[in-house]
Amino acid sequence: MKKLLVSICTAFLIVSASLSAFEWGGVLKDETGITTPDFKAITFNQSNSIVLWAKTPLGKDSGFSFSTEALYKYNLAVTKDSTTFDNIVDLTLFKVAGALTAGEGDLSIDAGRFYTADSTGAVIAQICDGLNVSYALSRVQFGLFAGYTGLINSLDVTSAVAPEKDNKVYNLAYPYVPLGLKVLLPALFLNQNLTLEGYALFDCGSNKTNLYYANLVFAGPFTNIIYYNLSTSFGSADFKNLMNYSAFTLYVFPTDTISVTGGLDFGTGDKDKVGAYNAISSKVADVSARIVPRAGFTYGTDNLCLDLTGKFILGYADEKYSAAGTELDVNFVYNIFSDLQVGLEAKAFFDATESKANDYTVKLNVALAF
């Protein structure tokens, strides 16, 4: 499999290199940080990576193009008692994409390996192999997605479902066949958007549990500086239970450089025939069996971005909700030059349970594009 992918990529790049519109580049990244649980122990984390990308049109006026992106990185974790070192190789993008006029609308197609997400971000939000087709008219847009998760690298793509094996360098993710159908009404009334989605995740692994979802999203402006997003996802595992994820977010843009957000996430927990919200999106771990009020502040210019977020987490246990903790995040990014970026991340989790498992993380990031 790996040799076949390498041969395909190499052959395509050799052919594409002769085209005048062929583009390519890369990014070198360095991440250095420490994690400490309540300052009682320290883990030193070091990661370096290189990302290479290429893009070329398929024909002069076809409207279609081919894009690919590959990476290598390593993760080093050092504690007082142990050292772990992981190598990761991944093909994160490998797709043919384009658009053309079909009748009174526009037909868009993405085929290969690319990032995909449902409208809530709670069912699936990750790299996936598949086909995405959308047809847009002036007042309605239809979308269809079909894919397979069993060939992506679980060491690089975070998923809520653990892989069946534990291989190094390239570990195949848990296999699902996601199918999605989407209807978007972009101007239902007063510039309000309505999105209807149906998703099915067919289990091709050992768990043998198929998952089904119906999503509904309202979004749009209250005023020219205040916007909202209201979403809900009802799901079921083999139609034996009912689970729900719902979220509301309010966005305020008082100036061109400042945005303020506030919102609430809710995910059901196990109780009678209501189950904990379950899907393959990594977001599931943050919302399942939880109520999460949150707020954020962002200041951004052409050269820098400062982002502050806070969450108060209520966890569901013993048929009631109880305080689980508070999480604070600070992210700062500064573009020194157009191709050199530095960033600083700091995260603190204050545990409100009896275990008092507070946790603190600080990370310095540097990225150089070429």
Side-chain angles (χ1 to χ4, degrees), residues 62-344:
S62 69
F64 283 78
S65 64
F66 170 80
S67 303
T68 186
E69 182 179 281
L71 72 81
Y72 163 77
K73 70 177 179 179
Y74 72 83
N75 295 325
L76 172 67
V78 179
T79 66
K80 181 180 179 181
D81 302 318
S82 64
T83 298
T84 59
F85 184 85
D86 297 317
N87 289 293
I88 300 173
V89 175
D90 201 6
L91 185 66
T92 55
L93 178 67
F94 194 86
K95 75 170 183 177
V96 173
L100 51 87
T101 300
E104 298 181 357
D106 295 322
L107 180 67
S108 300
I109 300 174
D110 293 271
R113 175 169 295 187
F114 52 89
Y115 181 86
T116 186
D118 70 291
S119 59
T120 69
V123 177
I124 180 173
Q126 64 179 61
I127 295 169
C128 189
D129 297 312
L131 173 68
N132 187 69
V133 180
S134 64
Y135 184 65
L137 297 167
S138 59
R139 292 187 173 273
V140 63
Q141 177 179 320
F142 302 96
L144 179 66
F145 173 77
Y148 181 66
T149 66
L151 295 177
I152 60 177
N153 190 351
S154 66
L155 301 176
D156 186 49
V157 179
T158 303
S159 174
V161 183
E164 295 187 301
K165 297 182 179 181
D166 187 17
N167 297 320
K168 297 181 178 180
V169 184
Y170 201 104
N171 192 35
L172 297 179
Y174 190 87
Y176 278 100
V177 172
L179 299 178
L181 179 64
K182 176 180 179 179
V183 178
L184 169 63
L185 301 174
L188 185 62
F189 61 91
L190 299 176
N191 293 322
Q192 306 300 301
N193 298 334
L194 171 64
T195 303
L196 302 170
E197 284 181 328
Y199 265 84
L201 303 178
F202 294 106
D203 193 332
C204 299
S206 58
N207 294 340
K208 302 302 179 183
T209 302
N210 299 322
L211 303 169
Y212 304 92
Y213 305 87
N215 299 342
L216 176 66
V217 179
F218 281 101
F222 284 134
T223 70
N224 60 344
I225 66 169
I226 302 176
Y227 298 79
Y228 77 96
N229 184 288
L230 176 63
S231 63
T232 187
S233 175
F234 289 95
S236 180
D238 287 327
F239 299 108
K240 295 179 180 179
N241 64 356
L242 178 67
M243 53 189 176
N244 175 252
Y245 162 74
S246 296
F248 175 76
T249 305
L250 192 67
Y251 307 89
V252 182
F253 301 92
T255 70
D256 292 338
T257 58
I258 293 176
S259 67
V260 180
T261 62
L264 180 74
D265 291 296
F266 166 79
T268 53
D270 289 319
K271 184 179 181 181
D272 297 329
K273 291 188 177 181
V274 177
Y277 189 81
N278 185 29
I280 61 176
S281 170
S282 59
K283 190 175 185 176
V284 167
D286 297 326
V287 301
S288 183
R290 289 180 171 184
I291 296 177
V292 185
R294 48 185 166 76
F297 171 86
T298 301
Y299 173 79
T301 67
D302 292 338
N303 294 326
L304 64 87
C305 179
L306 174 64
D307 184 68
L308 310 173
T309 59
K311 302 177 182 177
F312 181 68
I313 302 168
L314 293 171
Y316 189 88
D318 300 326
E319 298 188 354
K320 64 181 181 180
Y321 282 93
S322 60
T326 300
E327 182 178 300
L328 300 176
D329 294 90
V330 179
N331 290 277
F332 176 77
V333 177
Y334 180 67
N335 292 324
I336 300 177
F337 305 109
S338 60
D339 53 2
L340 179 61
Q341 184 182 91
V342 297
L344 180 65

Side-chain angles (χ1 to χ4, degrees), residues 32-36 39 42-45 347 360-364:
T32 304
I34 59 172
T35 300
T36 174
F39 299 105
I42 294 178
T43 299
F44 171 79
N45 299 291
K347 178 184 293 186
Y360 308 93
T361 300
V362 177
K363 184 187 296 184
L364 176 65

